[in-house]
Amino acid sequence: MQIRVLHGPNLNLLGTREPDIYGTITLAEIDASMAAAEPSVTLVPSQSNHEGVLIDAIHAAAQDCDGLVANFGALTHSSYALADALASVKLPTVEVHLSNIHAREAFRERSLTGAHAIGLITGFGPASYTLGLRALLDYLRTQP
């Protein structure tokens, strides 16, 4: 099984970016913990600060991946284009967030992309990614 892991804008700064909100773990450490949690699964992680690159990655994932774990960062709340890409490819997707988006600024409470996900996991710090991966794999394994 192959799963694409997409990290959106500013997530490349994890480890130093607002550690009071996001902690001190780096993106590379998150990717490594996901791989260690599910060693039989091939993970294809990528990060971009550019909406179009993320859209292209969604399109590509539909061709060669079984599912998607995605944290689109702030684009979660503003990108109709990413939401449309997810709706178009119909790839099983779990959206994840390090912080609880419902306990932060009002604009973060709405997820445009989450409407096209099979589920959202938010607020568990780095564990959100591993929980999201496991939820996606459970979902995929139960589909006919």
Side-chain angles (χ1 to χ4, degrees), residues 45-139:
S46 60
Q47 186 278 329
S48 180
N49 294 317
H50 305 283
E51 184 178 40
V53 173
L54 293 168
I55 291 167
D56 290 343
I58 292 168
H59 294 175
Q63 301 304 311
D64 62 7
C65 292
D66 300 291
L68 181 67
V69 173
N71 180 348
F72 295 116
L75 290 173
T76 297
H77 321 291
S78 63
S79 178
Y80 291 100
L82 281 172
D84 286 349
L86 290 173
S88 296
V89 302
K90 296 179 178 32
L91 187 65
T93 300
V94 174
E95 181 172 298
V96 299
H97 296 282
L98 295 162
S99 66
N100 180 352
I101 61 173
H102 301 286
R104 297 189 57 198
E105 302 92 338
F107 80 90
R108 293 186 196 274
E109 293 178 14
R110 183 179 76 169
S111 171
L112 297 174
T113 51
H116 304 288
I118 58 171
L120 282 75
I121 298 181
T122 176
F124 293 96
S128 292
Y129 280 91
T130 304
L131 292 167
L133 176 61
R134 288 187 173 144
L136 177 61
L137 294 174
D138 285 348
Y139 173 85

